[in-house]
Amino acid sequence: MVRLDSPPTSLNLSLAYDYDLAIAGGGIIGLTLASALNNSGLKVVVIEAKPQSVAAAKGQAYAVHLLSGRIFAGIGVWDEILPQIAHFCHVQLTDADYPQAVNFETTDLGTEVLGYVAEHQALLKPLQNFVKECENISYLCPAEVLETHYQASGVEISLQMDGEVKTIRTRLMVAADGAKSRTRQAAGINTRGWQYWQSCIVAFVKPEKGHNNTAYEKFWSSGPFAVLPLPGNRCRIVWTAPHAEAKAIVALNDEEFLAELTRRYGAQMGKLELVGDRFVFPVQLMQSDRYVLPRLALVGDAAHCCHPVGGQGLNMGIRDAAALAQVLHKAHEKGEDIGDLAVLKRYESWRKRENLTILGFTDLLDRVFSNNFLPIVIVRRIGLLILRRVPPIKVFALKLMTGLKGRTPEIAQKV
Ligand SMILES: Cc1cc2nc3c(=O)[nH]c(=O)nc-3n(C[C@H](O)[C@H](O)[C@H](O)COP(=O)(O)OP(=O)(O)OC[C@H]3O[C@@H](n4cnc5c(N)ncnc54)[C@H](O)[C@@H]3O)c2cc1C
């Protein structure tokens, strides 16, 4: 057994648990869940396959919603994150070259900013540092979950660490091991969804002029094209295009790539300079049939994936983590078994439907805008006109995009 250095915390003293819950995957979602359980009285282990520095080096960046910022503030990591990320105060939404843009401003919501943009390491490293300081959290990294055996009273997990296979026993297993979750597959949970006809190109540029803390979402018929501000006057480009086109674009030399980029971006920010590599990601919509089974819960991409339009995926996962932490903490305080299906169902009924709404919203956005069929073009231009002219609808859309619709986890109300 791995580290049985303090007494088991089982309700039933005849059973020996090494931990109350084990989290497979120490990405941003797994670590957010663990951190939100600091001081909960639950003994937590996070098992992450990649070495810490490798996990943090992922060349991704994300739009981070206001609610996600509040969750990080409630956990106590926001002060470390905030200086390393950019914020945006304006969002401009346009339908290709159609001149009537929809402009969202902070005055629409009455907030100081509309959202943030963070590189992967700016979120992951503070969370890694945080869990290492928490007395009730063990962080096994690098260590890989190999097999999981579910029993009525607990879960036995085989993991590989330091070249050895070890076994730990826990009340609850949480899968935070990403879209291809081995834990979800091994538990036989089916998923529904589809691969999109588009891939997503991600690149980083430095424009000649200031980005002015503005986020742009431009809907071309080939797919959505987003420009998000980053620190150091850099911008993150998230550019969706049909597979073959995306593959051809990413293979262009730097000069040709920048010319294509400028054609879609426009010349409003002057000359663009490429900074860093560019990547292509496949894009899929996926929802797990169940988020929970007895002694198992899924969070983040292990439970659902969506189109990157609107930057929702990571933010949904952060809300899953905060919601699950709240449900488990309360159940533990009441003396309930946190692996019991009745407890876990509270989490599923909170998050599954909310996530489905977002999956539907991103899918609708992509289908309605990646389209040149005249009746659809007319309908969406009317939709944009309504967004511009009817303030309650504009505020509703903005709240949906910034995570302020839906049930707020208590941790986000702490500060
Ligand atoms: C092109 C693109 C752009 C995006 N932009 C945005 C955006 O702007 N905003 C946004 O909110 N979302 C965005 N997303 C979605 C976002 O990237 C994901 O939702 C998010 O990264 C999921 O995080 P996760 O922690 O659930 O999974 P992952 O980041 O995949 O983490 C899973 C972790 O589990 C570990 N692991 C896997 N198997 C095991 C095992 N057996 N044992 C131990 N550890 C294991 C892995 O090493 C990894 O660290 C985007 C996605 C794409 C593709």
Side-chain angles (χ1 to χ4, degrees):
M1 295 264 173
V2 163
R3 295 199 334 159
L4 195 51
D5 47 15
S6 58
T9 53
S10 62
L11 295 170
N12 177 350
L13 293 175
S14 65
L15 298 172
Y17 296 105
D18 300 307
Y19 302 99
D20 292 304
L21 74 146
I23 303 171
I28 293 168
I29 305 308
L31 289 178
T32 300
L33 171 62
S35 307
L37 287 168
N38 180 31
N39 291 329
S40 60
L42 290 165
K43 205 170 164 208
V44 181
V45 61
V46 181
I47 306 157
E48 168 53 45
K50 291 187 195 128
Q52 254 191 73
S53 54
V54 177
K58 194 168 164 183
Q60 242 313 7
Y62 315 97
V64 176
H65 294 171
L66 293 175
L67 181 60
S68 300
R70 290 175 194 169
I71 291 170
F72 287 136
I75 287 172
V77 287
W78 193 231
D79 286 348
E80 194 181 335
I81 291 174
L82 200 52
Q84 303 179 57
I85 67 177
H87 62 268
F88 51 89
C89 299
H90 324 274
V91 178
Q92 191 180 83
L93 213 139
T94 41
D95 183 1
D97 284 333
Y98 186 60
Q100 303 289 331
V102 181
N103 289 297
F104 297 98
E105 306 293 342
T106 47
T107 44
D108 294 321
L109 268 191
T111 50
E112 279 177 22
V113 303
L114 290 180
Y116 309 89
V117 189
E119 283 160 287
H120 184 76
Q121 48 92 17
L123 298 177
L124 196 76
K125 277 191 184 163
L127 288 165
Q128 288 174 333
N129 294 341
F130 187 84
V131 294
K132 283 193 270 178
E133 296 299 318
C134 298
E135 282 184 7
N136 63 321
I137 303 172
S138 300
Y139 180 37
L140 308 185
C141 176
E144 188 181 354
V145 173
L146 300 176
E147 279 182 24
T148 318
H149 299 285
Y150 297 91
Q151 298 149 353
S153 59
V155 189
E156 217 168 69
I157 302 164
S158 303
L159 55 94
Q160 176 125 33
M161 200 175 84
D162 300 331
E164 283 178 50
V165 176
K166 302 174 182 186
T167 305
I168 58 170
R169 194 172 150 79
T170 168
R171 278 178 211 290
L172 172 67
M173 178 76 186
V174 179
D177 48 353
K180 293 184 180 147
S181 172
R182 198 194 284 170
T183 313
R184 181 193 68 228
Q185 290 173 26
I189 297 180
N190 290 326
T191 62
R192 284 159 209 252
W194 50 81
Q195 293 288 335
Y196 281 92
W197 59 97
Q198 297 151 319
S199 298
C200 191
I201 303 162
V202 173
F204 295 86
V205 295
K206 200 166 179 155
E208 189 183 7
K209 297 183 190 163
H211 59 44
N212 205 18
N213 298 100
T214 301
Y216 297 91
E217 186 85 61
K218 209 166 192 167
F219 291 98
W220 293 103
S221 57
S222 52
F225 178 91
V227 181
L228 298 166
L230 276 169
N233 201 40
R234 290 169 303 139
C235 292
R236 176 195 183 225
I237 310 290
V238 187
W239 177 357
T240 324
H243 298 305
E245 191 182 331
K247 219 168 137 191
I249 290 169
V250 91
L252 294 172
N253 67 36
D254 287 1
E255 206 179 318
E256 292 165 338
F257 181 82
L258 280 172
E260 279 297 315
L261 190 60
T262 311
R263 239 167 35 87
R264 281 155 179 92
Y265 193 4
Q268 72 269 32
M269 283 194 212
K271 210 166 169 302
L272 304 176
E273 180 196 338
L274 269 174
V275 281
D277 296 330
R278 43 190 187 260
F279 309 90
V280 187
F281 294 90
V283 182
Q284 64 165 328
L285 182 142
M286 182 276 278
Q287 170 87 312
S288 297
D289 282 353
R290 320 183 53 155
Y291 282 14
V292 298
L293 280 176
R295 309 219 167 266
L296 173 67
L298 314 181
V299 288
D301 275 22
H304 46 74
C305 296
C306 66
H307 195 287
V309 62
Q312 300 286 334
L314 183 86
N315 292 285
M316 286 155 69
I318 291 168
R319 298 204 285 277
D320 292 347
L324 181 60
Q326 182 173 321
V327 166
L328 298 181
H329 192 175
K330 288 203 173 206
H332 180 62
E333 279 178 342
K334 284 196 254 167
E336 294 176 298
D337 178 355
I338 62 162
D340 193 80
L341 189 60
V343 169
L344 298 174
K345 283 264 181 199
R346 291 171 206 155
Y347 157 70
E348 184 181 70
S349 55
W350 179 348
R351 291 302 307 152
K352 196 165 173 233
R353 194 173 302 171
E354 273 194 28
N355 286 338
L356 193 61
T357 308
I358 302 288
L359 296 189
F361 170 67
T362 53
D363 188 59
L364 185 75
L365 267 185
D366 188 54
R367 283 177 198 277
V368 168
F369 281 92
S370 306
N371 204 311
N372 266 337
F373 184 50
L374 190 62
I376 292 188
V377 174
I378 293 168
V379 168
R380 77 177 182 235
R381 299 233 162 127
I382 293 171
L384 289 177
L385 182 75
I386 293 171
L387 264 185
R388 280 202 312 275
R389 297 278 169 83
V390 186
I393 293 187
K394 192 177 183 191
V395 171
F396 177 86
L398 200 48
K399 283 191 170 171
L400 198 65
M401 287 192 292
T402 51
L404 298 181
K405 277 265 152 235
R407 185 171 156 196
T408 305
E410 285 173 15
I411 199 161
Q413 300 160 24
K414 261 172 64 175
V415 281

